[in-house]
């Protein structure tokens, strides 16, 4: 490091400095910035925590329950048999099973501005339940052996796609379901 | 001839050089995979069918890209960096040369197993390898071996620091770079520990000995993934502190408040573990309280240390320029030596980290994350962190480290400058297009027909950005190889790499301009953060 030595004070040659040399007081600007950084973090954290009070209708679903995949499969098949490609009455719970590489229903028709209760689970590997369309993007994980229950209320009519957003195998990109929302 | 002398012997240099070469091999493999992924995601199906890539191949390339870039390239280089900062910088030869070789061999065997198992088509599980999706046994075994080898290297790093302290090879306190590397080392231990535990369990599950809970896996895997990412962040920042003094011929050293920087480094270790939960924000099976506390609140405080470092680095740059005569509030920005590789890198990495940090906010916040989880927004964000940030900083450090290691001049300095800007431009286009696509809802890990929704039409920009970044990557590898093979030995091996300043004032130099810049970034960050909440209220209700 002789070359470097020529340019600088030798005692700083290896960038190691004595305690007195580096232990400096914080300047005014540094103090301002430390306080700002913490305030920003507190603003971010407070916003997300208080959002539970301000808007309880846009939250990560809190219902999840362990379930035997075979039991859930039965529920999803029953639902699909009755309601696939059909209009779902508002008080009917929707059961969707994810499996390599399809959803247990191909299409459902929902009513606008109506609460619908969904239960989603996987029968094999991890999947992702992603709703896209009309400016809407919602992403939830779908786990094997665990039902995820959530309520959705679509505020715009139109066609929405449900795709799989967590890699589940080669046919992953082909998993598709349509949610049609009508008035 | 031998202008750059250290006390470190040839064995030390060999070890560092060998780790560094493996990093180079990994980035080449990862880069080749990146070409196919960029083509795949560009949505140009003609190109896709022309190259005869199907879904199977796409996910194979993606697995290869993830493993090589996020695990192999970064960890090989970080191990080289740890050895460098604990031996060369501390003015000593390596202690435990044989252990270093053992670690190297273990990592090498691990990598070969993983690469083989991916290329054989038995392990198309992506780099996260979430069970019950199963990879080949060799994949897990290789992964574990690689992490074990890395763990040994990290421990050896601490042993070397201890030896240096005992033998008094350096005066005063530990240099800031080594201090930062030590913080990275501590976090690395926690990451490797969790990684080895969960991967060993997964291997046992694969063989049929135990059952595995996918949710437990996700939590522990991100104990590896999340902590390892903070190893990268800390290592990158340590590298930036090294670059800022190297690039100015050590003139900047007076303007770095080390106490401030060390405080910021220490804060990372404090906040890193509570932040793990931001990877499971939309998973079933975890309570909302845990998600809120660990994922959301914990992660927000993790942005504090990075913010402190950003100001420290930008402030040091500003103070250097100010004290050599550019005293207006923001006038010094125009005087940044844009052709100096180190200085340019610092500014570009700070911009990358800035964009990465801003786009991280909606992701790590419980409610808005519903709109962004597993969309293209996520790789958009982490390409700014890992590619535009960490990789760029590491590449530039190599331009400074290599001449010291092999006493040769970098083959072409012109190529260095072009490469740095081209790489940044590529990542900028790539990252921004990913972020825009993610906003529209394009999933990150799904090879999907882009005609599904008309707004997904900007996908070809991914190929544009990717091509630029890959071209820059080729320039980097070429330049390094030419340096090793044809580089000239001689005087002034750092010529063109150091900008000299005539420092007039060393104390009480104002850093007001940096404060203004940092405040502007904060305003944008808060805007994006609150807009993501406003956007959520327009979505259908979901709870």
């Amino acid at each position: 490091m002789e070359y470097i030595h020529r340019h600088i004070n030798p005692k700083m040659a290896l960038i190691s400095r004595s305690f007195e040399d580096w232990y400096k007081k914080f300047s005014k600007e540094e103090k301002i910035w430390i306080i700002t950084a913490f305030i920003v973090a507190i603003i971010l954290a407070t916003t997300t925590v208080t959002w539970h009070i301000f808007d309880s209708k846009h939250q990560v679903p809190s219902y999840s329950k362990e379930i035997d995949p075979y039991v859930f499969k039965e529920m999803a098949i029953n639902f699909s048999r009755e309601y696939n490609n059909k209009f779902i009455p508002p008080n009917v719970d929707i059961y969707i099973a994810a499996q390599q590489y399809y959803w247990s229903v191909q299409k459902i028709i929902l009513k606008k501005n109506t609460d619908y209760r969904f239960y989603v689970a996987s029968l094999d590997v991890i999947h992702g339940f992603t709703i896209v369309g009309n400016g809407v993007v919602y992403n939830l994980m779908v786990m094997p052996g665990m039902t995820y229950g959530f309520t959705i209320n679509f505020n715009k009519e139109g066609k929405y796609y449900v795709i799989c957003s967590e890699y589940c195998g080669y046919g992953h990109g082909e998993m598709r379901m349509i949610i049609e929302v009508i008035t | 001839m031998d202008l750059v002398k250290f006390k470190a012997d040839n064995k030390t240099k060999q070890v560092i050089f060998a780790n560094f070469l493996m990093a180079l091999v990994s980035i080449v493999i990862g880069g080749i995979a990146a070409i196919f992924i960029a083509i795949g995601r560009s949505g140009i199906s003609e190109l896709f069918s022309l190259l005869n890539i199907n879904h199977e191949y796409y996910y194979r390339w993606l697995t290869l890209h993830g493993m090589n870039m996020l695990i192999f390239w970064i960890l090989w280089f970080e191990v080289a960096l740890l050895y460098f900062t604990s031996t060369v910088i501390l003015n000593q030869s390596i202690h435990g040369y044989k252990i270093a070789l053992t670690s190297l061999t273990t990592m090498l065997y691990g990598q070969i197993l993983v690469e083989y198992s991916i290329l054989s088509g038995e392990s198309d599980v992506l780099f996260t390898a979430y069970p019950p999706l199963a990879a080949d046994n060799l994949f897990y075994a290789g992964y574990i071996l690689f992490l074990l080898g890395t763990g040994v290297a990290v421990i050896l790093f601490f042993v070397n620091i201890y030896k240096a302290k005992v033998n008094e090879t350096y005066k005063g306190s530990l240099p800031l770079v080594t201090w930062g590397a030590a913080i990275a080392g501590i976090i690395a231990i926690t990451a490797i520990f969790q990684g080895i535990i969960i991967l060993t369990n997964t291997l046992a599950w694969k063989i049929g000995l135990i059952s595995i809970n996918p949710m437990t896996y996700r939590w522990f895997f991100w104990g590896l993934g999340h902590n390892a990412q903070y190893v990268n962040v800390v290592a990158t920042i340590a590298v930036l502190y090294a670059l800022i003094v190297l690039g100015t011929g050590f003139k900047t050293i007076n303007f770095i408040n080390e106490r401030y920087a060390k405080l910021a480094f220490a804060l990372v270790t404090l906040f890193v573990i509570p932040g793990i939960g931001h990877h499971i924000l939309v998973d079933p099976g975890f309570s909302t309280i845990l998600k809120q506390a660990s994922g959301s609140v914990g992660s927000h405080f993790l942005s504090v240390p990075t913010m402190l470092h950003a100001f420290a680095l930008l402030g040091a740059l500003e103070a250097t320029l100010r004290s050599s005569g550019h005293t207006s509030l923001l006038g010094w920005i125009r005087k940044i030596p844009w052709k100096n590789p180190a200085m340019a890198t610092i500014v570009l990495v700070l911009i990358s980290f800035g964009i990465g940090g801003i786009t991280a906010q909606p992701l790590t916040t419980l409610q808005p994350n519903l709109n962004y989880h597993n969309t293209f927004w996520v790789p958009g964000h982490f390409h700014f962190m890992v590619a535009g940030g960490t990789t760029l900083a590491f590449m530039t450090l190599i331009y400074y480290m290599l001449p010291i290691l092999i006493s040769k001049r970098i083959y072409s300095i012109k190529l260095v400058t072009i490469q740095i800007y081209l790489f940044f431009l590529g990542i900028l286009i790539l990252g921004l297009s990913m972020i825009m696509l993610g906003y529209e809802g394009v999933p990150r890990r799904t090879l999907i027909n882009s005609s599904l929704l008309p707004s997904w039409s900007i996908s070809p920009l991914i190929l544009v950005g990717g091509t630029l970044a890959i071209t820059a990557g080729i320039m980097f590898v070429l330049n390094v190889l030419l340096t090793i093979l044809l580089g000239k030995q001689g005087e002034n091996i750092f010529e063109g790499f150091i900008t000299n300043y005539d420092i007039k004032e060393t104390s009480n130099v104002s850093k007001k301009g940096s404060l203004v810049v940092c405040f502007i970034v904060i305003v944008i960050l808060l805007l994006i953060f609150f807009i993501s909440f406003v956007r959520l209220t327009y979505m259908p209700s979901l709870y």
Side-chain angles (χ1 to χ4, degrees), chain B residues 82-110:
Chain B
L82 290 183
Y83 288 145
F84 187 75
T85 51
S86 64
T87 56
V88 177
I89 298 272
L90 296 187
N91 218 6
Q92 65 170 352
S93 296
I94 195 163
H95 293 271
Y97 173 70
K98 279 188 182 151
I99 298 172
L101 287 189
T102 316
S103 134
L104 192 123
T105 330
T106 317
M107 285 167 77
L108 185 61
Y109 279 127

Side-chain angles (χ1 to χ4, degrees), chain A residues 1 4 8 16-17 22 30 33 48 52 57-59 64 137-139 141 151 164 166-167 170 172, chain B residues 5 124 171 173 250 253 257-258 283 285 292 307 367 370-371 373 445-446 536 539-543:
Chain A
M1 294 218 146
I4 294 166
I8 49 156
S16 58
R17 300 198 269 177
W22 69 263
E30 280 160 348
W33 189 242
T48 162
H52 291 278
K57 300 249 167 179
H58 295 95
Q59 295 292 344
S64 61
V137 189
Y138 270 131
N139 302 278
M141 297 293 279
T151 305
C164 179
E166 187 55 78
Y167 177 69
Y170 302 138
H172 168 54
Chain B
K5 273 185 194 154
D124 301 327
K171 289 194 182 83
S173 303
F250 290 75
I253 199 148
N257 188 342
E258 273 194 36
D283 282 29
Q292 185 69 74
M307 277 155 73
Q367 299 89 351
L370 279 167
N371 304 134
H373 180 84
R445 308 184 116 172
T446 315
L536 189 61
M539 297 263 169
S541 59
L542 170 92
Y543 52 94

Side-chain angles (χ1 to χ4, degrees), chain A residues 104-123:
Chain A
S104 56
V105 282
Q106 281 78 52
K107 186 182 175 180
I108 48 174
I109 301 161
L110 305 181
K111 199 173 180 324
K112 191 181 147 186
N113 290 333
T114 311
D115 278 356
Y116 281 97
R117 190 76 181 153
F118 280 70
Y119 293 96
V120 183
S122 163
L123 304 181

Side-chain angles (χ1 to χ4, degrees), chain B residues 24 27-28 31-32 34-35 69 73 348 387-388 391-392 395-396 398-399 412 414-428 463-481:
Chain B
L24 212 59
I27 201 174
V28 169
I32 293 168
I35 300 170
M69 292 308 205
W73 143 250
L348 298 179
T391 301
L392 185 56
M395 280 172 167
T396 308
I398 286 171
Y399 291 135
S412 163
K414 228 180 204 168
L415 207 58
V416 169
T417 321
I418 297 170
Q419 185 261 322
I420 290 169
Y421 285 102
L422 194 65
F423 186 75
F424 176 76
L425 184 70
I427 296 298
L428 192 70
L463 187 56
V464 175
T467 312
L468 293 181
I470 291 162
T471 313
I474 295 169
M475 284 176 165
F476 162 75
V477 174
L478 213 66
N479 209 355
V480 166
L481 288 181

